[in-house]
């Protein structure tokens, strides 16, 4: 099954939260997938804790990637 969403970012929870908020401020509705949270809710552990992935609709991919590429990670 093909999805209409595409991964645009993967990183630790703090970085993912920053990207999510920035995308939302720019009228993009991201979907955040957290393996550790999914595993916790299911009662399992995960080998990569605190890693999140952000997906956006394919129509918003270029705009999202441009926004993410302009982030100053030192700030």
């Amino acid at each position: 099954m093909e999805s209409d969403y595409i991964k645009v970012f993967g990183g630790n929870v703090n970085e993912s939260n920053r990207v999510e908020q920035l995308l939302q401020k720019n009228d993009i509705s991201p979907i955040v997938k957290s393996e550790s949270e999914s595993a916790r809710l299911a009662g399992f552990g995960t080998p990569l804790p605190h890693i999140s992935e952000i997906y956006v609709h394919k129509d918003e991919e270029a705009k999202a990637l441009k926004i993410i590429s302009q982030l100053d990670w030192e700030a």
Side-chain angles (χ1 to χ4, degrees):
M1 175 186 262
E2 190 173 323
S3 174
D4 289 333
Y5 290 84
I6 189 157
K7 180 180 168 183
V8 293
F9 183 80
N12 70 50
V13 174
N14 292 331
E15 293 170 341
S16 295
N17 287 340
R18 185 174 176 199
V19 171
E20 177 186 15
Q21 291 175 7
L22 186 59
L23 293 175
Q24 288 172 342
K25 286 180 184 178
N26 285 277
D27 299 319
I28 297 174
S29 299
I31 295 175
V32 179
K33 180 181 175 186
S34 172
E35 291 293 334
S36 60
E37 184 63 12
S38 296
R40 184 191 69 78
L41 292 171
F44 301 107
T46 177
L48 298 172
H50 311 296
I51 300 296
S52 296
E53 297 175 338
I54 296 182
Y55 294 80
V56 298
H57 194 273
K58 288 180 179 179
D59 294 343
E60 300 174 316
E61 178 186 10
K63 181 179 178 184
L65 290 174
K66 182 176 180 182
I67 291 166
I68 293 167
S69 72
Q70 295 173 348
L71 267 171
D72 179 8
W73 292 106
E74 300 298 320

